Amino acid sequence: MAGPPAAWSNWAGNQHSTALVTERPRTVSEVAEAVRRASAAGRTIRAVGSGHSFTATAVADGHRLDLAELETDVTVDVTRRLVTVPAGMTLHTLNHLLAGHGLAVPNLGDIDAQTIAGALSTGTHGTGAELGCLSTFVAALTLVTGTGEVLRCSADEHRDVFDAARVGLGAVGVLVEVTLRCVDAFVLRAHERPAALAEVLDDLPGLYESHDHAEFYWFPYTDRVQVKTNDRVPADDRPLPRWRGWLDDEFLANTVFAGACRLGRAVPALAPGISAVSARALTERSYTGRSDRVFCTPRRVRFVEMEYGLPRDALPTALAELRRIVDRLPFKVLFPVEVRFTAADDIWLSHGYGRDSAYVAIHQYVGMPYEPYFRAFEKVATELGGRPHWGKLHWRTAESLSTAYPKFTDFLTVRNRLDPNNRFTNPYLRQVLDA
Ligand SMILES: Cc1cc2nc3c(=O)[nH]c(=O)nc-3n(C[C@H](O)[C@H](O)[C@H](O)COP(=O)(O)OP(=O)(O)OC[C@H]3O[C@@H](n4cnc5c(N)ncnc54)[C@H](O)[C@@H]3O)c2cc1C
């Protein structure tokens, strides 16, 4: 169960840690024991998911808790569309399980490699003007507190814990079991098309209100975007031929793009040309498929990322400022900028708390400079009332975050009650909650 110190790094390779002990509990009691053991030794303990956060949120410098082997009962209530699963299950496994019962989660982000607990804890989201982040699909949670107590929360039980723990940053407890509200399995028709940025900005509501899921990618140094929309349709009657899926999503989006990024990193002056060629190379395509397979695609080109949730009407200003920032940087940007939309929710540390959001995600290829770029955009986004994605790079501290989140103090109250000795803390939590 408990292993010796082991080096860990995240997916992007920009965060590292070596915990004193790695714990791999198989039962909820073993999770509680692990928390008590770390606590008795006066050490911290931190759950880690699939390591897909870019921030140091999953860094464990005391005990590391890996929940991949944790088993709790899996129950699928098809009539009520409720599923209860171990929190360390990956989204990929969850999607497969649900499909076998004719169910699905209402929305997903770009990948399915994250654990459910990890995705919920940072406010992971997809796009859909009428849909909140993944945490809004949670009906109940069971967690182990900092004192080793097992607690179940929902809208009717321990409501304040429920409001804090659905996007809990791993600060209020170790999530061990999650009940999710699902929907009947559905098919999506994906439509991807190149467009002019100005045309899209001229009628943003026309884009996000007329589709179930809408997003676009802006290619730096160009006026071009690739618009992607997904809409529910009754039948999977236009599946992407296997070769076309491989060509577009594997070969072009990963292999060729990786080559282009390597070239741009080696010869930065080529980056604007590469961006322009990429924007022009993307063609229109339309296909149908099972919802999770349309939402999620493989991402093999490694990058670092910052993402800000903004009040929707701030989006045009944010993008105009971003263009100015990109043009003035002393280095080039090799990755497109992703823009998505979510609906307001009532989860205390959700980026979408109390407001409809537009998300702007900026990326840079690994090994390229990024900090001046990200910091410059952070300044713009902060002034526009932006909230940084908890799993993506940012430099905000508790002082400024406390004014960005109306329920920040309530969150700290629950955290102090459930983890009175700060057993779950790490350097990232000290930055965003205590500093
Ligand atoms: C290629 C790529 C694509 C991505 N796409 C999207 C996207 O489309 N939308 C989006 O919003 N985000 C996206 N992300 C970000 C990602 O969804 C989040 O960072 C998510 O938190 C990662 O989940 P994880 O399982 O890897 O958790 P980790 O990164 O390992 O951990 C995240 C947090 O969860 C906590 N945690 C983990 N398990 C538990 C538990 N059992 N109990 C309590 N706390 C726990 C950790 O302590 C940590 O604070 C993407 C990231 C990558 C690398």
Side-chain angles (χ1 to χ4, degrees), residues 197 201 218 314-329 360 373 376-381 383-384:
L197 175 61
L201 291 181
W218 169 61
L315 179 61
T317 309
L319 288 178
E321 291 295 325
L322 185 61
R323 294 191 74 169
R324 272 192 279 279
I325 290 167
V326 167
D327 287 341
R328 286 192 204 134
L329 285 172
V360 177
Y373 174 35
F377 183 63
E378 174 152 280
K379 189 165 180 297
V380 168
E383 280 163 12
L384 291 170

Side-chain angles (χ1 to χ4, degrees), residues 46-47 49 51-53 57 110 114-115 118 122 124-125 175 340 389:
R46 189 107 188 124
H52 275 63
S53 295
T57 182
D110 293 337
Q114 310 94 320
T115 59
T122 62
T124 295
H125 62 93
L175 306 183
R340 294 181 278 186
H389 190 303

Side-chain angles (χ1 to χ4, degrees), residues 112 147 242 281 303 326 361:
D112 60 6
T147 53
R242 192 178 278 268
F303 55 84
V326 167

